[in-house]
Amino acid sequence: MGRIVTRHPVTRVRLGSEPVRRADMLAVEEPLEIRVQGTPLAVTMRTPGNDVELATGFLVSEGVIAGGGDVLSAIHCGGPGTGPGIGAGGEPNTYNVLDLTLAPGVALPSPDIARNFYTTSSCGVCGKASIEAIETISRFDLHADETVIDAETIARLPDRLRQQQAAFDKTGGLHAAALVDVASGEMLVVREDVGRHNAVDKVIGWAAQQGPLPLRGTALQVSGRASFELVQKAVMAGIPVLAAVSAPSSLAVELAGEAGLTLIGFVRDPSMVVYTHPHRVDVEGVELEGAARGDAERGGRPVDRAAAAAM
């Protein structure tokens, strides 16, 4: 279907030594055009693989569908201008165009959410027609979700996620996301991609294909920062907890607070910072002094732990 990694000749330079010519592994980045019943909807730069999950998760995140059952079928087709077929003068199938057919009774996406230019692998909301279109209303009320997750479980999630990043081991150039069952602590699915938002869409798409949404009793762990679009995707899928290795943005924190999502950043065993709805994090048995001490400074700037705990 498509390559996840590829080889490329490089010159390795180390001061004091002779340059070494060798092959290196790179993460593959290719465009995926998502169509709904023949109409182009979006183009995103992604790592090939799990494309149906990616497209399904994208449609959930955009509020187009309520779950995997709203997608009747999906098929890869040729690129723009494809004719009657490979053997009849048409373009070969590059597996970079995916056409989804929605189930009977499911409304087609509004033209207002169509993205008319490429979204990059680092930006999940580029190309929106307006800022109002970003603030999609979720079908699910996270405020009513009574999920509670143990702080020690959260602290160990980044290392557990890293252990399952097979493509990252080869390239060092992929983000990852994992969906965790809070009750058992089991990682239900892990996906990698050059785009952090794509990795999350793949995880949500996988879950939507397995059963109905919302994803109550789960947590989403991501390998990088917690941006607005990742919070939006978690909210749209009904995931009550989002944990990130790095920092959230101010808009991500604002959205999480309003939507009822527990947002956790700087998850680096044994510490973390809970930005919103801390009632879902069970700290019983945790030595608070050690946990609060954590990393006293982030990027050279001291962190106000008291203020963070009060959010």
Side-chain angles (χ1 to χ4, degrees), residues 6 9 16 22 55 68 94 96 114 121 125 127 152 173 194 213-214 281 297-298 308:
T6 186
R22 50 167 290 184
T94 61
N96 284 338
S121 57
V125 296
E152 291 188 7
V194 289
L213 303 179
V281 180
E297 294 186 353
R298 305 237 182 242

Side-chain angles (χ1 to χ4, degrees), residues 31-311:
L32 176 69
E33 179 180 304
I34 300 174
R35 299 178 182 175
V36 176
Q37 293 176 205
T39 301
L41 181 65
V43 178
T44 185
M45 302 302 295
R46 98 308 188 188
T47 299
N50 307 111
D51 286 344
V52 177
E53 293 176 358
L54 170 58
T56 300
F58 172 80
L59 293 183
V60 168
S61 300
E62 295 295 331
V64 176
I65 62 175
D70 288 345
V71 177
L72 184 64
S73 64
I75 184 172
H76 282 96
C77 49
T82 298
I86 296 175
E91 293 182 9
N93 195 332
T94 61
Y95 298 102
N96 284 338
V97 179
L98 184 69
D99 195 1
L100 291 87
T101 299
L102 302 184
V106 180
L108 294 175
S110 167
D112 292 339
I113 74 168
R115 302 182 182 190
N116 296 318
F117 52 84
Y118 286 91
T119 63
T120 71
S121 57
S122 62
C123 177
V125 296
C126 300
K128 289 286 194 177
S130 66
I131 189 67
E132 289 80 10
I134 299 175
E135 298 171 346
T136 311
I137 299 175
S138 176
R139 292 177 167 88
F140 313 119
D141 181 14
L142 292 184
H143 291 279
D145 193 305
E146 298 180 353
T147 296
V148 175
I149 185 170
D150 185 82
E152 291 188 7
T153 298
I154 299 171
R156 297 191 180 109
L157 287 179
D159 286 342
R160 293 174 57 197
L161 177 61
R162 177 66 185 84
Q163 290 169 8
Q164 297 194 43
Q165 290 184 252
F168 182 88
D169 286 339
K170 298 176 181 178
T171 66
L174 289 171
H175 293 282
L179 188 67
V180 180
D181 176 68
V182 169
S184 65
E186 176 188 0
M187 281 191 170
L188 302 174
V189 62
V190 174
R191 291 290 183 262
E192 294 181 275
D193 199 279
V194 289
R196 57 174 61 86
H197 63 284
N198 289 335
V200 170
D201 275 340
K202 289 178 179 181
V203 164
I204 292 174
W206 175 89
Q209 292 173 356
Q210 305 307 306
L213 303 179
L215 297 174
R216 295 190 178 95
T218 65
L220 181 66
Q221 174 68 50
V222 296
S223 60
R225 62 185 177 87
S227 55
F228 175 88
E229 68 266 24
L230 299 195
V231 171
Q232 180 197 8
K233 291 176 186 299
V235 169
M236 294 298 293
I239 300 172
V241 179
L242 170 59
V245 172
S246 192
S249 67
S250 62
L251 197 57
V253 173
E254 181 179 341
L255 176 60
E258 293 179 356
L261 174 79
T262 297
L263 179 59
I264 309 167
F266 294 115
V267 182
R268 303 168 187 176
D269 193 10
S271 66
M272 67 197 71
V273 178
V274 184
Y275 290 88
T276 60
H277 302 284
H279 63 279
R280 289 199 181 97
V281 180
D282 182 6
V283 296
E284 185 177 353
V286 175
E287 294 183 8
L288 294 181
E289 181 180 355
R293 184 170 60 246
D295 292 330
E297 294 186 353
R298 305 237 182 242
R301 296 191 304 169
V303 176
D304 187 342
R305 298 292 179 177
M311 295 182 71

